[in-house]
């Protein structure tokens, strides 16, 4: 079996982290519908086009992945082209339904994250698509723009964004990618996710608590075809990001005093983030994703995969941690391609232990023990930190 290391997606992840740090403030504490709903139309919405031509679409990674500064489950799916060796701007990216491009942004020219081995595209964009006053989408890592969009933002520089109003039909091209994935966030202003105990903690990215799977807007045979592209086979095949349960370890936490999702240091806003959640591909495995493990954001599989939803107040939980990578059942598989049947590799050596103790009032004591086994950890010490949600 071939291990697939999680860094394979940093090309797509990196720019979003940078964008989040540099541009996120403009939507702070605003409702997504208010900030992006200009000139919206009240109409029924059904997606009638895939985001890439079906013959160009290889697989879709569901919501909930965690990597580097994406410490909390990602609110977007990753759409992969057929050929990971394709030249840049080979594949047209399509509108899934009739709608309006309402904002175009040029991504930063530098990567912001804890990884150092990241390559960015020469040209990279973020698009906001409005389908109705209820439904919107965000596409990220669209490289060359289609002509109508390029003309509307001619001369736009890195870190800049521009409000536009460009009507397009389902199947129209918005831009192009090459041998890399792009991000797709789907937003339903009428839906608020129930698995965030304190939604206000996410106000820096106001759309996050309203995200749904793009598959939800497809119908009939096209829906079946799209869902079949997901590498997750367990419902919901579009993924999940909200896991909080009151009084339980499972879910997302923020270190006390770090201002929730927004963070206290914008250069590393993820430093105080912590997620203890099911794996996004195979939820029978437990993942610990933490913003600061010996100074860097890290993701780990948990040895033995204990269920954090069963760990309640007062219990001392000690999880042995294994660096997160995925195992493919196909030894000939391309290391850059994710496939159905993949799962975290828990056969590797552990690198340490993390201890948790849920407390009243949605508080959590956390202590990290790099290099130690669970047997070597007898309890929490004065070094334990408090997280909350």
């Amino acid at each position: 079996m071939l291990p697939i290391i999680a860094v394979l997606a940093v090309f797509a992840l990196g720019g979003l982290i940078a964008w989040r740090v540099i541009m996120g403030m403009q939507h702070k504490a605003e409702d997504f519908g208010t900030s992006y709903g200009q000139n919206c139309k009240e109409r029924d919405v059904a997606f009638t086009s895939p985001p890439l031509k079906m013959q160009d679409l290889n697989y879709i990674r569901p919501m909930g992945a965690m990597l580097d500064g994406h410490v909390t489950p990602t609110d977007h799916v990753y759409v992969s082209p057929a050929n990971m060796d394709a030249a840049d701007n080979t594949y047209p990216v399509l509108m899934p339904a009739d709608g309006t491009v309402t904002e175009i942004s040029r991504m930063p020219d530098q990567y912001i994250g804890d990884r150092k081995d990241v390559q960015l595209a020469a040209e990279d964009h973020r698009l906001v698509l409005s389908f109705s006053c209820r439904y919107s989408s965000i596409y990220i890592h669209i490289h060359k723009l289609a002509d109508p969009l390029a003309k509307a933002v001619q001369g736009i520089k890195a870190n800049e964004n521009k409000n536009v109003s460009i009507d397009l039909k389902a199947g129209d091209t918005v831009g192009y990618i090459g041998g890399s994935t792009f991000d797709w966030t789907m937003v339903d202003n009428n839906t608020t996710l129930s698995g965030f105990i304190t939604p206000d903690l996410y106000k820096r990215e106001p759309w996050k608590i309203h995200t749904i799977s793009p598959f939800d807007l497809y119908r009939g045979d096209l829906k079946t075809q799209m869902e079949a592209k997901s590498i997750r086979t367990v419902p919901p095949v579009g993924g999940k990001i909200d896991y909080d349960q009151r009084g339980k370890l499972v879910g997302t936490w923020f270190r006390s005093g770090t201002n929730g999702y927004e963070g206290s240091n914008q250069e590393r806003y993820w430093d105080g983030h912590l997620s203890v959640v099911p794996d996004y591909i195979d939820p029978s495995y437990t993942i610990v994703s933490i913003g600061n493990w010996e100074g860097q954001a890290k993701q780990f599989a948990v040895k033995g995969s204990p269920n954090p939803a069963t760990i309640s107040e007062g219990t001392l939980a000690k999880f042995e941690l294994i660096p997160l990578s995925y195992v493919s059942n196909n030894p000939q598989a391309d290391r850059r391609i994710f496939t159905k049947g993949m799962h975290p590799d828990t056969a590797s050596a552990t690198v340490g232990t993390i201890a948790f103790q849920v407390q009243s009032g949605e508080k959590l004591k956390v202590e990290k023990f790099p290099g130690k086994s669970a047997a070597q950890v007898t309890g929490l010490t004065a070094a334990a930190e408090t997280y909350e949600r």
Side-chain angles (χ1 to χ4, degrees):
M1 293 189 292
L2 179 69
I4 298 181
I5 307 300
V7 299
L8 297 177
V10 293
F11 184 88
L13 286 165
L16 178 56
I17 294 172
W19 178 260
R20 162 60 179 74
V21 174
I22 295 171
M23 301 298 290
M25 284 299 293
Q26 66 182 316
H27 299 304
K28 181 178 179 180
E30 295 180 14
D31 175 76
F32 185 86
T34 300
S35 51
Y36 289 144
Q38 66 268 28
N39 302 318
C40 67
K41 298 178 181 179
E42 294 288 0
R43 57 186 173 190
D44 293 332
V45 177
F47 287 171
T48 58
S49 172
L52 297 174
K53 294 177 182 178
M54 197 59 75
Q55 65 268 27
D56 294 344
L57 177 54
N58 188 354
Y59 64 85
I60 294 175
R61 293 171 59 203
M63 296 185 295
M66 295 169 287
L67 176 62
D68 194 13
H70 279 319
V71 174
T72 68
T74 51
D75 57 19
H76 48 269
V77 303
Y78 296 93
V79 182
S80 172
N83 180 7
M84 297 300 287
D85 293 316
D88 200 12
N89 303 320
T90 295
Y91 298 108
V93 179
L94 311 176
M95 287 285 287
D98 294 354
T100 304
V101 180
T102 61
E103 183 178 287
I104 301 174
S105 310
R106 180 75 180 261
M107 300 292 283
D109 286 338
Q110 75 281 4
Y111 173 76
I112 297 177
D114 288 336
R115 300 207 60 86
K116 306 302 180 186
D117 53 349
V118 179
Q119 177 185 359
L120 299 181
E123 186 178 6
D124 199 8
H125 300 90
R126 176 183 188 269
L127 312 178
V128 178
L129 317 175
S130 174
F131 307 109
S132 70
C133 297
R134 176 177 178 178
Y135 294 113
S136 301
S137 277
I138 305 169
Y139 280 174
I140 302 181
H141 304 303
I142 308 304
H143 297 169
K144 178 183 175 182
L145 296 173
D147 286 346
L149 280 64
K151 290 177 182 177
V153 295
Q154 187 173 8
I156 192 171
K157 296 180 175 61
N159 306 328
E160 291 183 347
N161 65 292
K162 184 175 181 180
N163 291 331
V164 297
S165 182
I166 303 171
D167 291 331
L168 296 173
K169 296 292 187 181
D172 283 352
T173 298
V174 299
Y176 300 86
I177 61 168
S180 61
T181 63
F182 73 91
D183 305 357
W184 184 8
T185 299
M186 186 64 215
V187 181
D188 177 358
N189 285 320
N190 289 3
T191 295
T192 299
L193 298 178
S194 61
F196 292 124
I197 287 177
T198 308
D200 278 353
L201 290 171
Y202 301 88
K203 61 187 178 182
R204 176 64 177 268
E205 294 188 357
W207 60 85
K208 189 175 293 290
I209 64 171
H210 304 298
T211 53
I212 62 171
S213 167
F215 299 150
D216 293 350
L217 274 293
Y218 286 97
R219 302 289 182 267
D221 290 343
L222 185 54
K223 180 182 179 72
T224 301
Q225 293 178 61
M226 288 296 297
E227 290 183 333
K229 295 290 185 178
S230 175
I231 61 171
R232 176 174 169 134
T233 59
V234 179
V237 295
K240 180 177 171 64
I241 67 172
D242 57 320
Y243 289 97
D244 295 357
Q245 294 183 29
R246 293 189 182 278
K248 304 294 185 180
L249 173 58
V250 69
T252 293
W253 303 82
F254 302 99
R255 194 168 65 242
S256 296
T258 58
N259 199 24
Y261 190 87
E262 182 170 347
S264 55
N265 175 2
Q266 291 310 293
E267 291 186 359
R268 294 190 72 259
Y269 74 94
W270 56 85
D271 189 88
H273 295 187
L274 169 69
S275 291
V276 186
V277 298
D279 180 62
Y280 80 115
I281 301 174
D282 185 341
S284 67
Y285 292 80
T286 296
I287 306 300
V288 170
S289 178
I290 189 165
N292 190 324
W293 178 272
E294 298 188 299
Q296 290 189 318
K298 294 289 184 179
Q299 286 73 40
F300 302 99
V302 178
K303 184 177 180 180
S305 294
N307 183 357
T310 66
I311 298 172
S312 55
E313 184 177 334
T315 301
L316 178 65
K318 299 180 292 183
F319 290 178
E320 291 188 328
L321 304 177
I322 302 164
L324 182 62
S325 62
Y326 289 87
V327 177
S328 170
N329 293 323
N330 178 5
Q332 304 303 318
D334 187 326
R335 288 172 56 87
R336 299 163 298 174
I337 296 176
F338 288 74
T339 58
K340 291 181 187 294
M342 289 178 56
H343 57 80
D345 181 6
T346 55
S348 300
T350 61
V351 296
T353 296
I354 191 166
F356 303 110
Q357 190 170 52
V358 179
Q359 301 186 317
S360 62
E362 295 305 316
K363 305 285 187 180
L364 178 69
K365 284 289 188 181
V366 179
E367 189 165 357
K368 298 166 282 188
F369 298 91
K372 290 190 176 183
S373 68
Q376 293 174 304
V377 176
T378 57
L380 298 175
T381 74
E385 298 175 298
T386 300
Y387 285 66
E388 59 192 10
R389 65 185 178 195

